[in-house]
Amino acid sequence: MKDIKSIRNDFPILQKEVYGRKLIYLDNAATTQKPQCVIDAINNIYLNFNANVHRGVHALSDMASEEYEKAREKVRSFINAAKKEEIIFTSGTTGSINAVAFSFGEKYIKRGDEILISHIEHHSNIVPWQMLCQRKGAKIKVIPVDDSGQIIFEEYLKLITDKTKLVAITQASNALGTEVPVKEITEEAHRHGIPVLIDGAQGIQHGTTDVRDIGCDFYAFSGHKIYGSAGIGVLYGKEKLLEEMPPYQGGGDMIKNVTFEKTTYNDLPFKFEAGTTNFPAAIGLARALDYISELGLKDISSREQKLLNYATEKLQGIDEVQIIGNAALKIPVISFNIKGIHHYDAGMILDKLGIAVRTGNHCAQPALERFGLVGTIRVSLCFYNTTEEIDILADGIKKVIEMFA
Ligand code: PLP
């Protein structure tokens, strides 16, 4: 792996100061910073070949279309999908999950059916299923988690019935850091013929993801959490299912033929890409995937795990800090509270010290309620963070404690 100094130099924003202090960015689970090569790739589109994709016969449109389809192929190989047709560009994880909730839901969910989710889902993997259940008269069932924040596998097994029509589960919790055994969950669901959707928003950026190895039927992720820009996401779906599902949005590009009486839909993946997609962001995402592949996903994962261990030990060394979520397998996310100090107050003081952390419920209210909490402070690390930054965080936390003493 490149040395940390040159990695950090790849990210212009990391050289910034806030309030006259060096920026320490520890909010990577919310969104990651962008390397210069991704910024350049997106700039290059607007400077050199901006035109709508799949529409023009002219040179610029051809170039844009070609780069867009190359981006799709890049995503396919990155997650090891079998076919390019299984990769649908969406607006983000939320867009991808809603697409499945509407489209799969329309076709397969009926009154009395059950959808299994876990207690540690992001709101994006709760609300679309609730909305679907309201439309169809179906029901959500929730897999409980233990005190470490890991799902209880035996309880999962008990919840599977002949009414279960989908398991929708996160690969990793954004609120607690728990890495969920999605492969085992998928295998078990498939034993009962139940399809599985995985919310990969917090999983894909931390190591190798192989959708065929996991075996999942749908996989969703966001470009902005994996060093690409906002406004782009991916829905992977197995071809057979996607073929059977109706489109959830109508418009340009998703059609073959339109009359006032009848429309025939386009082939995959275009059937699910109505209207002008965010093609510059898709092309930027492909560059981001190249960038992290060049760094090495195994090296990224091992560096991040070292940072996680270092930060966990540092925070455990402060008496007033209580970490929530101690699963054996975690992504580099640490959620904690400081005894007697509101998480917002702590977050605001840390901010003034140049340290960006997230505070609040992390869009995972039920996950925090499980631990009797309304919010935490969340530190989320990635490969460009350093142990020095973690030291400064620990000093900052001690300063917060002193101020409130
Ligand atoms: N799922 C998880 C686990 C997340 O952490 C997030 C965002 O934080 C989302 C879904 C939603 O992602 P987006 O807002 O990019 O659609």
Side-chain angles (χ1 to χ4, degrees), residues 147-150 175-178 323-327 330 333-335 371:
D147 290 342
S148 78
Q150 183 57 273
L176 308 175
T178 315
I323 295 176
I324 298 101
N326 301 299
K330 279 180 75 174
V333 163
I334 306 176
S335 231
F371 294 87

Side-chain angles (χ1 to χ4, degrees), residues 76-328:
R76 183 208 66 72
S77 78
F78 192 81
I79 62 171
N80 195 31
K83 291 182 171 181
K84 220 158 88 91
E85 288 72 18
E86 298 179 321
I87 305 298
I88 293 153
F89 285 118
T90 65
S91 59
T93 308
T94 307
S96 300
I97 296 173
N98 275 281
V100 177
F102 275 86
S103 185
F104 175 91
E106 192 53 38
K107 174 102 185 175
Y108 293 108
I109 303 296
K110 303 195 172 50
R111 176 166 295 282
D113 285 347
E114 293 170 357
I115 295 166
L116 272 188
I117 62 171
S118 87
H119 211 129
I120 51 173
E121 299 305 320
H122 187 279
H123 297 162
S124 289
N125 201 28
I126 302 174
V127 185
W129 307 119
Q130 272 174 345
M131 291 161 70
L132 169 63
C133 287
Q134 275 163 17
R135 288 197 302 276
K136 297 282 183 169
K139 223 201 232 164
I140 283 180
K141 284 201 164 172
V142 181
I143 308 164
V145 297
D146 62 22
D147 290 342
S148 78
Q150 183 57 273
I151 66 135
I152 306 171
F153 208 82
E154 307 78 70
E155 295 299 321
Y156 163 57
L157 300 183
K158 284 185 211 157
L159 285 169
I160 297 175
T161 70
D162 54 6
K163 290 187 192 149
T164 314
K165 292 291 148 54
L166 182 75
V167 176
I169 191 135
T170 195
Q171 190 175 10
S173 156
N174 67 312
L176 308 175
T178 315
E179 252 184 71
V180 174
V182 286
K183 190 174 171 180
E184 290 75 6
I185 286 175
T186 304
E187 279 168 5
E188 204 51 55
H190 283 178
R191 232 189 284 279
H192 297 83
I194 303 162
V196 177
L197 174 141
I198 292 173
D199 171 353
Q202 298 294 344
I204 189 150
Q205 62 280 61
H206 298 301
T208 313
T209 291
D210 181 333
V211 289
R212 277 190 282 175
D213 179 54
I214 298 170
C216 56
D217 302 273
F218 300 105
Y219 185 89
F221 71 93
S222 299
H224 70 101
K225 293 184 196 284
I226 187 163
Y227 312 99
S229 74
I232 191 75
V234 170
L235 169 64
Y236 156 79
K238 281 188 181 158
E239 188 182 27
K240 185 174 175 297
L241 273 168
L242 292 179
E243 287 285 9
E244 288 167 6
M245 285 157 49
Y248 70 107
Q249 284 184 327
D253 221 22
M254 53 76 72
I255 54 89
K256 269 189 182 154
N257 191 51
V258 179
T259 66
F260 285 119
E261 289 72 39
K262 185 175 164 35
T263 292
T264 46
Y265 302 132
N266 208 340
D267 297 327
L268 290 176
F270 312 114
K271 182 172 93 173
F272 292 105
E273 289 184 2
T276 301
T277 58
N278 194 341
F279 61 93
I283 296 166
L285 170 61
R287 189 67 197 88
L289 298 182
D290 271 341
Y291 175 79
I292 56 171
S293 301
E294 284 156 20
L295 280 186
L297 286 153
K298 282 208 176 98
D299 288 344
I300 285 176
S301 171
S302 96
R303 183 173 163 74
E304 289 180 344
Q305 285 298 310
K306 280 185 194 138
L307 288 171
L308 171 67
N309 294 341
Y310 185 84
T312 305
E313 272 178 33
K314 271 267 161 185
L315 297 193
Q316 278 169 341
I318 305 171
D319 287 344
E320 292 83 351
V321 167
Q322 192 209 356
I323 295 176
I324 298 101
N326 301 299

Side-chain angles (χ1 to χ4, degrees), residues 356-387:
V357 295
R358 172 95 181 253
T359 57
N361 65 37
H362 317 301
C363 299
Q365 259 178 283
L368 293 192
E369 274 164 16
R370 160 66 179 78
F371 294 87
L373 299 168
V374 291
T376 66
I377 305 157
R378 183 187 70 185
V379 167
S380 51
L381 303 155
C382 78
F383 60 81
Y384 52 57
N385 290 124
T386 64
T387 51

